[in-house]
């Protein structure tokens, strides 16, 4: 049972993550329908598509994904987080509204670009919005809703595409787009954003909504939180003209470049784990491996386990800690990709593997489960925790651009790499990336669980307090 004091925080998180669920639907729709479009039963008037066109359909969404952090980030700073969430809803509506007319690749390309834009927007704005409305004690739990929502969407996309038809996912997504947009209309703006914009009365009113009964009774905790926000954002205090402007030197102090470097490296973990091409080409991977389950059923099993893994992450992120989840997740993914690589290598060498046809489903299912526990969500949580609020928006935007760029390269060239180098080489490459990721976490990344920004900053600086004065604790 959700306590009344946090009920509105959960409701707002669920509403914002409807956008993530819709994005998950587009991922789940893609894999089975790529197989359909490349078959003789293709619904496209242009006929079945080639392997190169499969790669383009799978990767072209990342073009929109790369634009989204820039556009949505700018809207979030100028017009507010709520306006950015509404923009995401509009682009999602456009991406799905054209799908009933998608009888050729050009329309599908357009739909994927708009859908990718919406996906990039959700990855940049939803975590920011959720971190700014949530209390410290439930911050991590609410942050993991991003992964759960996306994985629910992926699972629904697989199931509906397999058991219903090519168009059914489209109509469900359109309905959810309408529900999401209406829900966002009733959400108050982020209190932190309103404090930043010196809108004190509106900020307190919004904070009162998100804190529920605790705010209505004006408890000492609520009063202290209001005072803290005022102090952080210097509400009512005149500032120098350029005090909020960002300069190159703001990124070069030791207390800032170290967390920036951590974010730049950690955000590459999901692409390096192999989970992104796996979810994009799930059915093709199982076709290549000749699993003893059909590709469609295997895909549904994988998506279901990924959803369970993201739920486990919700239960453990505030108990086990971020570092533990990342280390377990990266090393677990390394074992899974090594196993899959060895199986496909033996298969390529024409070794008899009939007794081991369960290995592809088992290893890939374990991969997505373990990935969902840590790699799939923790990097996005960490970014909102270790970065100085003054540069956070800029660095998060850059990291999401980097994430989209790397994801584009991986998804675009994965089919080509499989054809040229073999599935085993690709899997072993991902395994090496996972081991390198675990090594980095163990040697360079601090634990952030339950810590304030000042405590995290001190641990990054060897116990020394940050030297710059404009650093404020972030309420995430």
């Amino acid at each position: 049972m959700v306590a009344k004091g946090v009920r509105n925080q959960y409701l707002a998180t669920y509403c914002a993550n409807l956008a993530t669920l819709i994005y998950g639907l587009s991922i789940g729709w893609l894999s089975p329908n790529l197989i359909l479009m490349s078959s003789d039963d293709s619904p496209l008037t242009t006929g079945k598509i080639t392997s190169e066109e499969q790669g383009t359909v799978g990767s072209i969404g990342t073009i929109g994904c790369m634009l989204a952090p820039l556009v949505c980030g700018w809207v979030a700073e100028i017009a507010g987080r709520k306006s950015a969430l509404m923009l995401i809803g509009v682009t999602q509506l456009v991406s799905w509204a054209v799908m009933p007319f998608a009888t050729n690749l050009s329309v599908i390309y357009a739909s994927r670009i708009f859908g990718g834009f919406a996906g990039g927007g959700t990855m940049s704005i939803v975590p920011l919005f959720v971190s700014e409305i949530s209390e410290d004690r439930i911050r991590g739990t609410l942050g993991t809703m991003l992964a759960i929502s996306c994985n629910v969407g992926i699972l629904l996309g697989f199931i509906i595409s397999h058991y219903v038809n090519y168009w059914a996912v489209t109509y469900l997504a359109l309905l959810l787009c309408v529900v999401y947009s209406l829900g966002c209309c009733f959400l108050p703006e982020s209190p932190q954003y309103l404090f930043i914009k010196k809108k004190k009365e509106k900020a307190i009113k919004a904070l009162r909504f998100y804190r529920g009964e605790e705010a209505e009774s004006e408890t000492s905790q609520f009063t202290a939180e209001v005072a803290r926000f005022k102090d952080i954002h210097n509400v009512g205090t005149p500032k120098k003209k350029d005090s909020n402007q960002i300069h190159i030197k703001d990124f070069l102090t030791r207390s800032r470049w170290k967390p920036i470097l951590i974010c730049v490296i950690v955000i590459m973990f999901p692409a390096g784990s192999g989970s992104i091409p796996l979810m994009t080409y799930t059915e093709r991977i199982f076709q290549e491996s000749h699993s003893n389950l059909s590709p469609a059923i295997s895909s549904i099993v994988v998506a279901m386990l990924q959803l369970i893994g993201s739920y486990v992450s919700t239960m453990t992120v505030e108990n086990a800690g971020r570092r533990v989840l990342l280390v377990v997740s990266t090393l677990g993914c390394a074992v899974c990709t090594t196993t899959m690589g060895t199986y496909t290598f033996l298969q390529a060498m024409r070794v008899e593997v009939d007794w081991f046809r369960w290995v592809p489903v088992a290893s890939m299912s374990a991969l997505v489960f373990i990935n969902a526990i840590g790699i799939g969500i923790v990097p996005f949580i960490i970014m909102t925790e270790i970065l100085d609020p003054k540069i956070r928006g800029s660095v998060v935007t850059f990291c999401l651009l980097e994430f989209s760029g790397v994801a584009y390269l991986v998804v675009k060239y994965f089919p080509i790499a499989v054809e040229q180098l073999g599935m085993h080489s690709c899997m072993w490459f991902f395994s090496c990336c996972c081991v390198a990721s675990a090594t980095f976490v163990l040697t360079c990344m601090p634990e952030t669980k339950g810590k304030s920004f000042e405590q995290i900053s001190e641990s990054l600086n060897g116990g020394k307090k940050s030297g710059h004065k404009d650093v404020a604790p972030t309420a995430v």
Side-chain angles (χ1 to χ4, degrees), residues 265-277 371 375-377 379-380 403:
I265 294 175
V266 167
I267 201 62
M268 289 192 290
F269 287 4
S273 70
S275 61
I276 293 177
N371 178 82
I375 300 177
I377 185 59
F380 298 95
F403 171 78

Side-chain angles (χ1 to χ4, degrees), residues 48-94:
K48 63 180 183 181
I49 62 176
T50 65
S51 295
E52 186 177 347
E53 288 170 333
Q54 283 189 55
T56 302
V57 173
S59 62
I60 198 169
T62 55
I63 294 175
C65 205
M66 285 187 280
L67 292 174
L70 296 173
V71 177
C72 292
W74 178 77
V75 171
E77 293 301 322
I78 300 301
R81 304 346 183 192
K82 182 176 175 179
S83 297
L85 290 174
M86 295 295 290
L87 175 61
I88 292 169
V90 171
T91 55
Q92 283 183 325
L93 189 60
V94 172

